[in-house]
Amino acid sequence: MTRASDTQDGPVVLSKEGLPGWLDPVVHAVETVRPTQLSRFLPPEDGGGRQSAVLVLFGEGTRGPELLLMERATSLRSHAGQPSFPGGALDPEDGDPSGDGPLRAALREAEEETGLDPSGVQLFGVLPRLYIPVSSFVVTPVLGWWREPSPVGVVDPNETARVFTVPVVDLTDPANRATTVHPSGHRGPAFLVESALVWGFTAGIIDRLLHFAGWERPWDREKQVPLDWRA
């Protein structure tokens, strides 16, 4: 098996070999989900938007499967203070945006933002590219298995406020789920976990993965969390 970062210059590959059995539903979801099942915001047909990638990293903690998240610094211009997956815009050295560029970018950004050692990550899937209208980002969600966990934490306080993991069992707990309501009228899924409100693009991805992996539990969609105009 070729790991995601066996080599700095060679191709970055996807591999499903040796994944834990509990990831099977996620693998199936990644292979079968259609873009419109994930979001109504899809990349512009003219190819516009800034190419970017996020790393959706599954690990195994003391309470079972978990996801790696970070909280963005409040000083950032885009999505300040929001919990998110590690990730960011593609750099020229990441390579072809239509090839393995998003895979490289997801790993590079995760390393820069959380100190993650990419050599311990096995990339196994890529979701359809999605669009974030407010920032014009075209985002490729890259899924990985944290085969060999490494220490993580804040690398640059100007970029990241906190790095943390969230057990999947907490994400599926109906008591931790809610619907955010923006003054513009937009509604979306949210998770109240680890002293954080996870909402927006990140919550949308988590919500759809839980749903299509068959992990979702019935929850009260009328439980609302209001957002303000700065969100």
Side-chain angles (χ1 to χ4, degrees):
M1 179 187 68
T2 303
R3 293 284 171 80
S5 55
D6 278 343
T7 171
Q8 196 68 21
D9 301 314
V12 181
V13 301
L14 299 174
S15 171
K16 303 180 183 69
E17 181 182 338
L19 294 175
W22 57 261
L23 269 175
D24 288 348
V26 177
V27 173
H28 178 72
V30 172
E31 292 174 339
T32 57
V33 72
R34 298 187 302 273
T36 53
Q37 292 177 308
L38 292 176
S39 174
R40 61 189 177 94
F41 299 114
L42 303 181
E45 293 183 3
D46 62 5
R50 191 175 183 192
Q51 298 295 325
S52 63
V54 295
L55 180 63
V56 183
L57 185 59
F58 286 90
E60 192 149 9
T62 56
R63 297 178 58 215
E66 60 186 17
L67 278 173
L68 177 68
L69 296 177
M70 50 172 273
E71 196 169 293
R72 296 168 61 82
T74 55
S75 57
L76 292 175
R77 286 185 302 170
S78 179
H79 308 293
Q82 280 193 38
S84 68
F85 298 117
L90 268 66
D91 285 347
E93 57 266 28
D94 292 323
D96 184 1
S98 300
D100 64 6
L103 309 186
R104 291 183 183 281
L107 289 173
R108 175 183 55 75
E109 286 282 346
E111 183 175 16
E112 292 175 1
E113 293 175 330
T114 73
L116 172 79
D117 182 356
S119 66
V121 175
Q122 177 182 337
L123 301 182
F124 65 85
V126 175
L127 288 173
R129 291 187 303 166
L130 303 174
Y131 188 58
I132 303 180
V134 68
S135 57
S136 298
F137 277 116
V138 175
V139 186
T140 301
V142 179
L143 280 74
W145 157 237
W146 208 353
R147 178 177 289 279
E148 298 171 11
S150 55
V152 291
V154 174
V155 175
D156 182 357
N158 294 317
E159 200 167 308
T160 308
R162 181 165 64 121
V163 177
F164 58 101
T165 57
V166 180
V168 170
V169 68
D170 287 347
L171 293 167
T172 59
D173 186 342
N176 297 334
R177 305 212 54 180
T179 297
T180 52
V181 182
H182 193 272
S184 66
H186 178 73
R187 299 163 64 94
F191 301 84
L192 296 103
V193 289
E194 301 296 326
S195 303
L197 174 66
V198 182
W199 64 282
F201 178 85
T202 302
I205 293 293
I206 295 173
D207 171 77
R208 293 295 80 195
L209 281 175
L210 295 180
H211 175 76
F212 287 109
W215 292 348
E216 184 179 41
R217 296 164 58 189
W219 57 282
D220 181 7
R221 296 172 188 271
E222 297 305 312
K223 178 182 174 182
Q224 298 183 359
V225 176
L227 300 172
D228 62 31
W229 280 108
R230 292 169 296 179

